[in-house]
Amino acid sequence: MLKDDDTQASKWLVASLNPWRYPNADALTMGFFSELRAALPKDEKWSEARSSIAGIVKAISPLGSLTSLVGVDSSKSLEGFAKQLDGIDSASRVQKQAEVALWATNRPVLMVIDDIDRLEPHELLNLFRLVRLAGRLPNVHYLLAYDQETLEAVLTQTDLVSEATRARDYLEKIVQVRIDLPPVRPGKTEKVVDSAIEGIAAKFNVSLTDARSSHFAMTYHEFIAPTLNTPRTVRRWFAHLELLFPPLVGEADFVDFAIVLWISLRHPQIPQMLQKRRSDVFPSRSPMRMFQQVDPEEMHAHWLTWIADAGVPLADVNSVFGALARLFPTIDQAYRKSKSSPDLETAGKRFGIGHPDYFDRYFNLGVPDEELAESAFIEDLESILRDPAVGTRLEKFVRADARSMVPRLEAWIQDHPAAKRSLFLWLSSNLYKTSDNGLFSSQAALRGLLFRLSRTESFEEVAVLLAPLWSNDELVRVAAIVVNDLLSDRERTPALEALVKSAVSRIKTRSAQLIGVPSDRPQELWDLLWLWQALDNNSLRTWYRARLTSGGWTPIEALACIVQSATPVGVPNPVGRLRGIPTSTIEAFLGVEWITDRLKRSTADSGPESPANDFDGPEDTWENRLAVARRVSKELVST
């Protein structure tokens, strides 16, 4: 646009100054006039102007202070520079010489100084003083590029002005003509954004479906477009996107990341707020929140407050709220004041930020160490299908935190139905290897997955799924769990009864293998007996009574085995405590009248007795179980 063309006297000469390059005022002064002098042509006509501008530098800048100019050897360059300018000693005289020389050349010079709103307050004042000092040079003009609001804010931090009004007054003394850049036309911005999004997606081999493209377009037009009022904001957004997304290719949703990035760049405290409010973003993953009924109107008001408290200007709060609602199903529920359940499953299928299993990736800019990357997840699943016995990283993650892995496993199996039988067997083999620490344990999560996988099948297919489990002694418990869960969910039908019958038969066989002296009480045996009781109480009672009638156990031992125990959750080194024997349990395993009659006809057990309760019962040991059973037996006999 402005070109250096010596063939036409009216053509502009252009100098460019980057004030960030200079560490102090004196270095900036030298750099300012050096750039101006360098812009002048090198022919004889301009020699006097070049010499006089060099004289200004020497006259107004102490030689010692010029040593801070970046890239200049102070001991040599300044000495040579001083010799070159020898004889010019008066600032007013050399400036007058420069004015005469520049008038004579009759050629306009433009000094472009960009990004001055990024300077520190004292640096900005130094630059303005320099511009005013050199402002009288004829044919030299200055183009200062800055953001008005930012520059005024910087000026208010100086000792010169303390408020926005005075800052504007000061600027009017410096800037003679203010030219505001027109806002970027929406149509042009849209083309730039479309091109950038498509280009970056293609670069990283990201496939944008029609649904995801539509989602981005709607979010862009409603919330993002009004904020992209300068080319810089557009370039900044996509420069960050291109730089930061590569570690997340295949591990996060491209559209979600682009929207999150826009929010983060514009409102840097929002990511921190979201992480702080994680239990509100994902209440279903918070044991304290998942069963709470929350009023949508109340949550709507809370989110408005939380967003404003994160430093978002009031004028932008609703836009940020709306954009977050496009990312998080739970926030969308509050935004629309809806009582419908949020759809986390859809977000999870695309690795969206709105699902708790993928949330952290968007702020870590990669897959955290405590998560399994999608590439490793797929690789391990394929390895398991080839050989279920092979050790994998997936096995480690499932055992440690099945809750976070179950949604991914379930989605993958739904997309690969042919792999269901193999994965069902593999998951079953890991059930009792996972932690069993309460209602939200990994074991509970994996049990829920096995139930859902079997629930969608016919009973004939369930029988096929369970066949490998029945043939493996270690997996009989798991197969019995699946049948029990189905029984509690379905009406009894001949096909279901057939499953129950086979389960009871296999449980009975396995229990006979595990039974021994009462004091051993292997956990597997009692897991099986409780499942047996749920599936067919009558056959279980007959089998359990036989422990006494065969002469192997005493009545007190039979009661001691069914004393209930509870272990606290969330405490270090938990100790099981005995809680007594409910009448319903005695009836289920022995029958109250039957065992009472046996107690009356048996030899009295004269050992110690102990009460038990739900809060501070005795420690779960065999001796304490016998003591509690004696107390219960006395109560039964005396009734």
Side-chain angles (χ1 to χ4, degrees):
M1 291 169 54
L2 295 177
K3 293 183 178 180
D4 184 358
D5 186 353
D6 284 330
T7 62
Q8 300 182 40
S10 61
K11 290 295 183 180
W12 287 76
L13 299 171
V14 180
S16 181
L17 177 70
N18 185 347
W20 284 25
R21 292 180 57 192
Y22 306 98
N24 56 46
D26 293 317
L28 178 61
T29 299
M30 184 175 181
F32 180 93
F33 286 105
S34 295
E35 293 292 348
L36 179 60
R37 183 170 180 267
L40 302 181
K42 304 299 188 293
D43 55 32
E44 185 66 25
K45 175 183 177 181
W46 290 88
S47 61
E48 185 175 350
R50 289 166 54 81
S51 178
S52 60
I53 290 175
I56 295 177
V57 180
K58 180 179 179 181
I60 65 175
S61 297
L63 287 179
S65 64
L66 294 180
T67 61
S68 59
L69 179 62
V70 176
V72 173
D73 184 334
S74 60
S75 63
K76 298 180 180 180
S77 297
L78 291 179
E79 179 182 354
F81 192 62
K83 290 180 179 180
Q84 179 184 350
L85 305 179
D86 188 31
I88 304 178
D89 53 4
S90 167
S92 59
R93 184 163 67 87
V94 294
Q95 181 159 337
K96 184 64 175 177
Q97 291 174 346
E99 291 174 4
V100 171
L102 288 169
W103 269 120
T105 58
N106 193 29
R107 184 85 175 272
V109 182
L110 180 67
M111 172 69 79
V112 179
I113 309 176
D114 196 8
D115 289 339
I116 66 172
D117 51 340
R118 298 187 183 184
L119 295 173
E120 294 294 327
H122 69 280
E123 296 172 333
L124 182 61
L125 290 184
N126 287 333
L127 178 64
F128 280 159
R129 291 190 184 103
L130 186 58
V131 169
R132 293 198 66 182
L133 172 67
R136 296 186 181 88
L137 291 176
N139 288 329
V140 180
H141 308 271
Y142 306 91
L143 175 62
L144 309 180
Y146 57 85
D147 175 77
Q148 178 82 12
E149 184 177 344
T150 304
L151 195 64
E152 289 178 2
V154 175
L155 281 172
T156 58
Q157 300 176 41
T158 67
D159 295 333
L160 191 63
V161 296
S162 58
E163 57 186 30
T165 302
R166 294 193 62 188
R168 283 192 291 272
D169 293 340
Y170 179 80
L171 279 176
E172 289 178 359
K173 296 178 181 179
I174 302 294
V175 180
Q176 296 179 353
V177 178
R178 170 179 158 175
I179 303 174
D180 293 325
L181 288 177
V184 181
R185 289 177 297 172
K188 183 176 181 180
T189 304
E190 288 176 15
K191 290 180 180 178
V192 172
V193 171
D194 282 344
S195 176
I197 283 287
E198 292 175 0
I200 296 175
K203 180 178 180 179
F204 300 128
N205 198 28
V206 174
S207 177
L208 288 176
T209 64
D210 291 342
R212 298 309 294 150
S213 296
S214 176
H215 183 86
F216 176 80
M218 292 175 64
T219 306
Y220 171 80
H221 287 294
E222 189 169 357
F223 304 115
I224 301 177
T227 69
L228 300 180
N229 48 17
T230 67
R232 177 191 292 176
T233 57
V234 179
R235 290 196 302 270
R236 182 169 180 253
W237 181 22
F238 290 111
H240 279 78
L241 181 60
E242 188 169 7
L243 177 67
L244 301 179
F245 188 69
L248 289 170
V249 173
E251 307 293 343
D253 182 74
F254 179 70
V255 169
D256 278 8
F257 187 79
I259 296 171
V260 170
L261 185 59
W262 166 76
I263 295 174
S264 301
L265 291 173
R266 187 166 175 79
H267 307 290
Q269 295 183 54
I270 288 294
Q272 183 179 359
M273 182 273 289
L274 290 172
Q275 293 174 79
K276 179 181 178 181
R277 295 289 172 187
R278 192 184 189 115
S279 62
D280 297 292
V281 177
F282 305 114
S284 63
R285 286 295 179 90
S286 172
M288 302 300 294
R289 293 287 309 280
M290 66 181 303
F291 297 118
Q292 291 181 2
Q293 295 295 323
V294 180
D295 180 13
E297 293 273 357
E298 182 180 344
M299 286 306 298
H300 183 93
H302 282 326
W303 278 109
L304 288 174
T305 300
W306 295 333
I307 292 170
D309 290 346
V312 176
L314 291 179
D316 293 342
V317 167
N318 278 314
S319 291
V320 174
F321 192 5
L324 291 175
R326 293 291 174 83
L327 298 170
F328 297 93
T330 48
I331 298 180
D332 179 61
Q333 186 183 27
Y335 181 70
R336 296 185 294 108
K337 303 178 185 178
S338 170
K339 294 183 179 180
S340 61
S341 299
D343 179 17
L344 297 184
E345 183 179 349
T346 300
K349 287 182 176 179
R350 67 170 189 271
F351 315 133
I353 190 174
H355 193 283
D357 292 342
Y358 307 104
F359 174 79
D360 291 321
R361 299 181 178 187
Y362 288 78
F363 303 117
N364 284 13
L365 301 180
V367 180
D369 293 338
E370 60 273 17
E371 292 184 17
L372 184 63
E374 191 64 19
S375 56
F377 175 74
I378 300 300
E379 180 182 333
D380 284 1
L381 283 173
E382 293 173 347
S383 177
I384 290 168
L385 293 179
R386 291 192 298 270
D387 181 4
V390 70
T392 62
R393 293 157 292 187
L394 180 57
E395 183 175 303
K396 171 186 172 184
F397 278 93
V398 166
R399 292 181 182 183
D401 186 18
R403 289 186 66 211
S404 65
M405 298 304 301
V406 159
R408 297 172 68 180
L409 287 164
E410 192 165 7
W412 193 87
I413 293 172
Q414 288 175 355
D415 292 337
H416 302 79
K420 185 172 186 176
R421 293 181 185 179
S422 298
L423 265 297
F424 190 92
L425 176 60
W426 182 83
L427 292 167
S428 299
S429 67
N430 279 280
L431 177 65
Y432 277 102
K433 298 173 183 177
T434 58
S435 65
D436 183 22
N437 191 17
L439 179 62
F440 306 103
S441 67
S442 289
Q443 195 171 113
L446 209 54
R447 176 175 176 173
L449 175 58
L450 291 172
F451 166 67
R452 291 190 297 276
L453 292 177
S454 57
R455 188 176 186 271
T456 59
E457 302 294 341
S458 66
F459 290 127
E460 290 75 15
E461 178 61 25
V462 172
V464 173
L465 289 173
L466 296 181
L469 278 63
W470 292 131
S471 62
N472 185 327
D473 287 343
E474 294 182 358
L475 300 182
V476 171
R477 277 186 299 172
V478 184
I481 284 174
V482 173
V483 175
N484 179 58
D485 289 344
L486 288 173
L487 184 64
S488 64
D489 181 66
R490 305 279 189 93
E491 294 184 4
R492 286 183 178 263
T493 63
L496 181 55
E497 288 292 354
L499 281 177
V500 172
K501 185 177 180 179
S502 62
V504 169
S505 175
R506 191 64 180 91
I507 291 172
K508 184 177 181 178
T509 301
R510 180 59 179 161
S511 297
Q513 296 171 346
L514 295 170
I515 198 70
V517 296
S519 58
D520 286 346
R521 298 191 76 257
Q523 184 63 47
E524 182 186 351
L525 171 64
W526 287 94
D527 287 341
L528 286 170
L529 293 184
W530 280 106
L531 287 164
W532 187 355
Q533 184 272 324
L535 293 171
D536 185 4
N537 198 144
N538 291 332
S539 63
L540 177 276
R541 187 188 296 121
T542 299
W543 183 88
Y544 197 69
R545 285 175 176 178
R547 302 310 100 201
L548 281 73
T549 58
S550 65
W553 294 7
T554 68
I556 295 300
E557 289 174 333
L559 287 172
C561 285
I562 58 176
V563 176
Q564 291 192 354
S565 175
T567 302
V569 174
V571 298
N573 303 316
V575 175
R577 297 288 175 179
L578 298 178
R579 301 171 60 186
I581 316 176
T583 302
S584 59
T585 300
I586 299 175
E587 181 65 28
F589 278 79
L590 293 162
V592 174
E593 291 185 7
W594 189 89
I595 190 60
T596 301
D597 181 65
R598 300 288 296 189
L599 287 167
K600 288 178 179 179
R601 292 190 289 111
S602 65
T603 303
D605 189 322
S606 59
E609 301 175 9
S610 174
N613 56 63
D614 290 345
F615 301 102
D616 57 353
E619 185 178 344
D620 187 356
T621 65
W622 180 245
E623 290 74 17
N624 287 338
R625 282 180 170 273
L626 291 172
V628 171
R630 293 186 189 104
R631 170 66 66 89
V632 171
S633 69
K634 180 178 290 188
E635 294 172 353
L636 288 171
V637 171
S638 64
T639 302

